[in-house]
Amino acid sequence: MPTNLWQPGVSGNPAGRLRGSRNKLSEEVICALLRDFRKHGEKAIAKVRREQPGVYLRCLTLLIPREHKVEQSDVIKSLSDQELEDMIEYIKTSLEAQAGGPVKVIEGMIEPTTGPATALPVLEPPKRKPNRLMMEVDTAIGPQERKPRKRVPSPAGT
């Protein structure tokens, strides 16, 4: 019996997946959902809004596009000394204009210091996040008292 049924470069399914079949399936599913939504959508949305407001709001937030891409940049570090001095002068004149007279500004220099390391304060352990699934259940059927599960003690010596 031969170890390799197919010659190198020859597919076991020469016809392969029909061209566009994945797109046809997606299109049919989307069309079916659209037909169902047109028929029952408003009633379903109203029911969810009344009975499960948390789920309703979650759906709304999922529909909002994420337009803003937040990038962190340090503009101050990219400024020259002259640009920084000009900005300080502009801020002083703006504050004086708002105050109606001269403004006292604290001037100083940052001096690096080395000191003994101090121990960090003892912090409490972080609180656990609530279980999202259980919160959804609480929203759907009302809050219920949860009992901690019983733990079987391990045999001594293991």
Side-chain angles (χ1 to χ4, degrees):
M1 181 159 188
T3 58
N4 190 358
L5 297 175
W6 311 105
Q7 296 296 322
V10 177
S11 171
N13 183 5
R17 179 173 50 89
L18 293 176
R19 199 171 194 85
S21 62
R22 182 176 293 170
N23 294 341
K24 287 180 186 176
L25 175 63
S26 298
E27 185 178 341
E28 286 183 28
V29 169
I30 290 172
C31 287
L33 288 171
L34 180 60
R35 283 192 304 272
D36 186 63
F37 180 79
R38 285 182 177 160
K39 189 173 182 181
H40 306 289
E42 287 188 42
K43 292 177 190 174
I45 291 172
K47 183 177 180 181
V48 170
R49 180 177 38 81
R50 277 191 316 272
E51 297 177 6
Q52 298 178 338
V55 174
Y56 176 76
L57 291 174
R58 177 77 173 149
C59 291
L60 291 178
T61 57
L62 290 172
L63 291 173
I64 297 171
R66 295 183 183 180
E67 297 175 5
H68 301 289
K69 183 177 180 183
V70 178
E71 293 181 11
Q72 185 176 2
S73 62
D74 195 355
V75 179
I76 301 295
K77 285 186 178 179
S78 65
L79 295 175
S80 68
D81 288 344
Q82 183 59 44
E83 289 171 324
L84 285 172
E85 289 175 12
D86 292 343
M87 286 179 73
I88 292 169
E89 189 60 38
Y90 172 78
I91 292 170
K92 281 183 185 178
T93 55
S94 296
L95 290 173
E96 287 173 356
Q98 287 177 1
V103 178
K104 292 182 181 179
V105 179
I106 299 172
E107 295 195 20
M109 296 283 293
I110 297 176
E111 297 178 7
T113 60
T114 57
T118 58
L120 295 175
V122 177
L123 301 176
E124 294 180 23
K127 293 182 180 178
R128 294 180 64 185
K129 291 183 181 178
N131 185 321
R132 289 179 53 203
L133 176 63
M134 294 309 292
M135 289 180 70
E136 295 296 327
V137 169
D138 287 347
T139 304
I141 62 173
Q144 297 179 352
E145 183 179 333
R146 293 188 195 93
K147 297 177 185 172
R149 65 180 176 175
K150 293 181 182 177
R151 296 184 184 233
V152 179
S154 61
T158 57

